[in-house]
Amino acid sequence: MKLPSFASIKEVGPRDGLQNEKKIVGTKDKVKWIHMLADAGLSYIEVSSFVHPKWIPALADAQNVFAALERKPHVTYAALVPNQNGLERALLQDVDEVNVFLSASETHNKKNINKSIDEALSVIEEITKQSLFSGKKVRGYVSTVFGCPYEGEVNVYTVDELCNKLFSYGIYEVSLGDTIGVANPAQVERVLEHLLPKYDSSKFAMHFHNTYGMALANVVKSLECGVTTFDSSCGGLGGCPYAPGASGNVATNDLVHMLHKLGVQTNVNEEKLLQATKFIQSKLGTQIPSHVYRALQHKTVSR
Amino acid sequence: MKLPSFASIKEVGPRDGLQNEKKIVGTKDKVKWIHMLADAGLSYIEVSSFVHPKWIPALADAQNVFAALERKPHVTYAALVPNQNGLERALLQDVDEVNVFLSASETHNKKNINKSIDEALSVIEEITKQSLFSGKKVRGYVSTVFGCPYEGEVNVYTVDELCNKLFSYGIYEVSLGDTIGVANPAQVERVLEHLLPKYDSSKFAMHFHNTYGMALANVVKSLECGVTTFDSSCGGLGGCPYAPGASGNVATNDLVHMLHKLGVQTNVNEEKLLQATKFIQSKLGTQIPSHVYRALQHKTVSR
């Protein structure tokens, strides 16, 4: 089994995790949690989203969260930016990186942000231009790469074309999202075997959801294909908006635990991550989907 | 990705699943559930255990369950048999197959059945002899193959030696058990790369627990190594006796769903399996660990 010696984790819990939780976490607690995540060794944290507060009330305090952060050196504090107005707010807070997003499915894009894919691309092109001009790197999410809740299968040529455009705008990394958790390892291999001969593997991150329990199997196949960057959410927070009660983002805890078991380093301290998960659990009061969290919550991580 | 066209599922829910649940399910309900599992296409069901009722009260009705079963042709109704007394009770019920078990870890074996590995082997040898004489095939479980809660790592040479002995007794298949769910895909590959040059892959089943979320990733690696038989538990029932609240046996639902997605056939009907899971959930009242169950419980399986 050919595995890399190191994998990068991009922690999306404070944004992608909290935006789907019913309970709104207070700004101070968010900031404390983000500090704990950084202390656990997570070097990339998506802090919030500068979307209009009426769309995602849970992240309405993006500005205040950034203002209150004590940023550690060598940690990237990123934010999701949906449009021009969001970019202005993000730049005012001097975010470290700008994240943009669109869907590989026309219907999902329309339902999610009320734009066609072409309209979304125009906005992204402009946001990227301005971000780069302001000295900010830009990362792009492409969602529903492995399936759409409305359209079903998504054509890999569409995904390829979107990646090509995003890279041409100057986006340094595309996160391939399995928004509804339907990807399986054979499909992951097919998609990556299509993309990797054209683009360097370092230009991709994989964003898996554990809706049907396949996220870690998909991570292993991605590693075997040569991709070494993964998005995940502390505790597995986030759920799935399309299936109430189902798992959402793959848990950072489960991802990091498996990577370490596989001999792949991450610089993440599992015990500190467990403490950060316990903290946010106490604020949300919800059940934490992470398997590792459930197995270890009653004991120390020493074994 | 090299995958087989078909995989065999051995359903252990009625035995391995129920034995770890707090609530005792009534005999009639067990029988109805087993009938539903057979109707869903599961061709191998471990119905119960002929262990002394004082050790596992949840399975004290093994005899009555077998007596009440309406057996379908082409379905194997097996039972776990720990000793001579259990074998006599099992043969009286004319079980289709006898399952025996021991641990690859001396300490786990002692704590689990109060015997050394050598003592357990003697008992197994005798039970196997008598079972074969009575025309019953015998399947062997080796537990803690990938790690022991007391001893940690388990030597693959010990596992090899145990397999060798079990096969020499006339046992047709050894189920390699990850009792505490610590196996990772790289380790699965190492263990199978050690065993498969010596024994045919058809002589092994893999028995994974999802304690740390890695079960399906381990299944994929096993398939890639050439093993095509897997134990699993309807809904993921069973829990983990070593970590309260943690996941136990990999869920048949999640296993079958992934296999079908990978293009590996199983003959299991996912919709009927979902109904069987809903039924046993209504009797146990516990949360079902299966990811697929949680994602689909509010909708039909048609998508």
Side-chain angles (χ1 to χ4, degrees), chain A residues 55-132:
Chain A
W55 295 116
I56 307 181
L59 303 182
D61 61 352
Q63 211 156 310
N64 298 333
V65 173
F66 265 99
L69 274 186
E70 289 171 30
R71 301 193 203 183
K72 289 183 79 165
H74 313 301
V75 175
T76 300
Y77 299 88
L80 200 68
V81 166
N83 51 31
Q84 184 64 36
N85 188 273
L87 178 63
E88 282 161 24
R89 290 169 62 212
L91 292 177
L92 270 176
Q93 294 308 321
D94 194 28
V95 303
D96 292 338
E97 256 190 48
V98 167
N99 291 353
V100 295
F101 61 99
L102 87 168
S103 176
S105 139
E106 200 66 74
T107 315
H108 185 261
N109 213 61
K110 262 275 198 256
K111 296 226 182 202
N112 200 29
I113 53 173
N114 200 26
K115 285 189 182 70
S116 70
I117 288 179
D118 278 343
E119 287 166 342
L121 281 169
S122 306
V123 174
I124 288 173
E125 186 173 15
E126 185 56 31
I127 290 176
T128 305
K129 203 166 120 187
Q130 293 181 37
S131 299
L132 294 173

Side-chain angles (χ1 to χ4, degrees), chain B residues 51-105:
Chain B
V51 67
H52 195 288
K54 92 171 164 199
W55 295 117
I56 306 181
L59 304 182
D61 60 353
Q63 212 154 308
N64 298 335
V65 173
F66 266 100
L69 274 186
E70 289 170 28
R71 301 192 203 185
K72 289 182 78 162
H74 314 303
V75 175
T76 301
Y77 299 88
L80 201 68
V81 166
N83 53 30
Q84 184 63 37
N85 187 272
L87 179 63
E88 284 161 24
R89 290 169 62 213
L91 292 177
L92 270 177
Q93 295 308 320
D94 194 28
V95 303
D96 292 336
E97 256 189 48
V98 167
N99 292 353
V100 295
F101 62 99
L102 87 167
S103 177
S105 141

Side-chain angles (χ1 to χ4, degrees), chain B residues 257-269:
Chain B
H257 180 82
M258 184 183 74
L259 290 170
H260 291 176
K261 281 273 188 176
L262 290 170
V264 180
Q265 298 311 308
T266 66
N267 284 344
V268 178
N269 179 308

Side-chain angles (χ1 to χ4, degrees), chain B residues 42-295:
Chain B
L42 289 156
S43 60
Y44 190 103
I45 302 174
E46 195 178 58
V47 168
S48 192
S49 170
F50 287 95
V51 67
H52 195 288
K54 92 171 164 199
W55 295 117
I56 306 181
L59 304 182
D61 60 353
Q63 212 154 308
N64 298 335
V65 173
F66 266 100
L69 274 186
E70 289 170 28
R71 301 192 203 185
K72 289 182 78 162
H74 314 303
V75 175
T76 301
Y77 299 88
L80 201 68
V81 166
N83 53 30
Q84 184 63 37
N85 187 272
L87 179 63
E88 284 161 24
R89 290 169 62 213
L91 292 177
L92 270 177
Q93 295 308 320
D94 194 28
V95 303
D96 292 336
E97 256 189 48
V98 167
N99 292 353
V100 295
F101 62 99
L102 87 167
S103 177
S105 141
E106 200 65 75
T107 315
H108 185 261
N109 213 60
K110 262 273 199 259
K111 296 226 182 202
N112 198 29
I113 54 174
N114 200 25
K115 286 189 179 70
S116 69
I117 288 179
D118 278 344
E119 288 166 343
L121 281 169
S122 307
V123 174
I124 287 173
E125 185 174 15
E126 185 56 32
I127 289 176
T128 305
K129 204 166 120 185
Q130 293 180 37
S131 299
L132 294 174
F133 183 78
S134 305
K136 305 297 180 192
K137 288 171 80 179
V138 183
R139 182 171 187 256
Y141 287 105
V142 179
S143 58
T144 70
V145 165
F146 300 91
C148 163
Y150 311 107
E151 296 184 12
E153 283 266 326
V154 167
N155 196 315
V156 70
Y157 289 93
T158 308
V159 177
D160 185 351
E161 202 186 316
L162 291 178
C163 292
N164 195 28
K165 287 200 171 145
L166 296 177
F167 291 140
S168 77
Y169 301 159
I171 283 173
Y172 77 98
E173 178 179 282
V174 168
S175 169
L176 301 170
D178 182 20
T179 315
I180 52 172
V182 294
N184 68 73
Q187 186 188 14
V188 168
E189 189 181 65
R190 279 197 303 277
V191 169
L192 290 178
E193 278 181 352
H194 178 98
L195 296 174
L196 293 184
K198 299 182 70 173
Y199 313 101
D200 193 82
S201 61
S202 67
K203 296 190 82 62
F204 291 106
M206 306 305 287
H207 182 108
F208 291 121
H209 280 216
N210 205 26
T211 322
Y212 299 91
M214 293 184 280
L216 290 185
N218 292 331
V219 167
V220 172
K221 191 45 74 187
S222 307
L223 286 167
E224 291 181 305
C225 289
V227 177
T228 58
T229 303
F230 298 92
D231 299 351
S232 61
S233 164
C234 172
L237 293 179
C240 175
Y242 304 99
S247 313
N249 291 288
V250 64
T252 308
N253 318 55
D254 299 357
L255 173 62
V256 164
H257 180 82
M258 184 183 74
L259 290 170
H260 291 176
K261 281 273 188 176
L262 290 170
V264 180
Q265 298 311 308
T266 66
N267 284 344
V268 178
N269 179 308
E270 291 185 59
E271 173 61 33
K272 286 186 176 177
L273 180 60
L274 180 61
Q275 296 313 321
T277 316
K278 281 184 176 172
F279 173 78
I280 196 65
Q281 195 284 330
S282 74
K283 300 303 167 191
L284 286 166
T286 52
Q287 204 186 24
I288 296 292
S290 161
H291 289 276
V292 170
Y293 176 82
R294 290 197 207 172

Side-chain angles (χ1 to χ4, degrees), chain A residues 46-63:
Chain A
E46 195 178 57
V47 169
S48 193
S49 170
F50 286 95
V51 67
H52 195 288
K54 90 172 168 200
W55 295 116
I56 307 181
L59 303 182
D61 61 352
Q63 211 156 310

Side-chain angles (χ1 to χ4, degrees), chain A residues 1-3 148-149 180 182-187 189-190 193 210-214 216-218 220-221 224 242-247 254 257-258 261-262 287 289 291-292 294-299 303, chain B residues 1-3 148-149 180 182-187 189-190 193 210-214 216-218 220-221 224 242-247 254 257-258 261-262 287 289 291-292 294-299 303:
Chain A
M1 205 174 163
K2 230 184 103 193
L3 293 170
C148 163
I180 54 171
V182 294
N184 68 73
Q187 187 188 14
E189 190 181 63
R190 278 197 303 277
E193 278 181 352
N210 204 27
T211 323
Y212 300 91
M214 294 185 279
L216 290 184
N218 292 333
V220 171
K221 191 45 74 188
E224 292 181 304
Y242 303 99
S247 312
D254 300 357
H257 180 82
M258 183 183 75
K261 283 272 187 175
L262 290 171
Q287 204 186 25
H291 289 276
V292 170
R294 291 197 206 171
L296 299 184
Q297 62 183 315
H298 300 300
K299 45 175 130 175
R303 55 176 292 187
Chain B
M1 204 175 166
K2 229 183 102 191
L3 293 171
C148 163
I180 52 172
V182 294
N184 68 73
Q187 186 188 14
E189 189 181 65
R190 279 197 303 277
E193 278 181 352
N210 205 26
T211 322
Y212 299 91
M214 293 184 280
L216 290 185
N218 292 331
V220 172
K221 191 45 74 187
E224 291 181 305
Y242 304 99
S247 313
D254 299 357
H257 180 82
M258 184 183 74
K261 281 273 188 176
L262 290 170
Q287 204 186 24
H291 289 276
V292 170
R294 290 197 207 172
L296 300 184
Q297 63 182 315
H298 300 300
K299 44 175 130 175
R303 55 176 288 183

Side-chain angles (χ1 to χ4, degrees), chain A residues 10 13 15 22 34 38 68 76 90 108 124 150 174 254 302:
Chain A
K10 304 217 159 167
R15 196 276 304 172
K22 270 182 204 140
I34 293 166
T76 300
H108 185 261
I124 288 173
Y150 311 107
V174 167
D254 300 357
S302 62

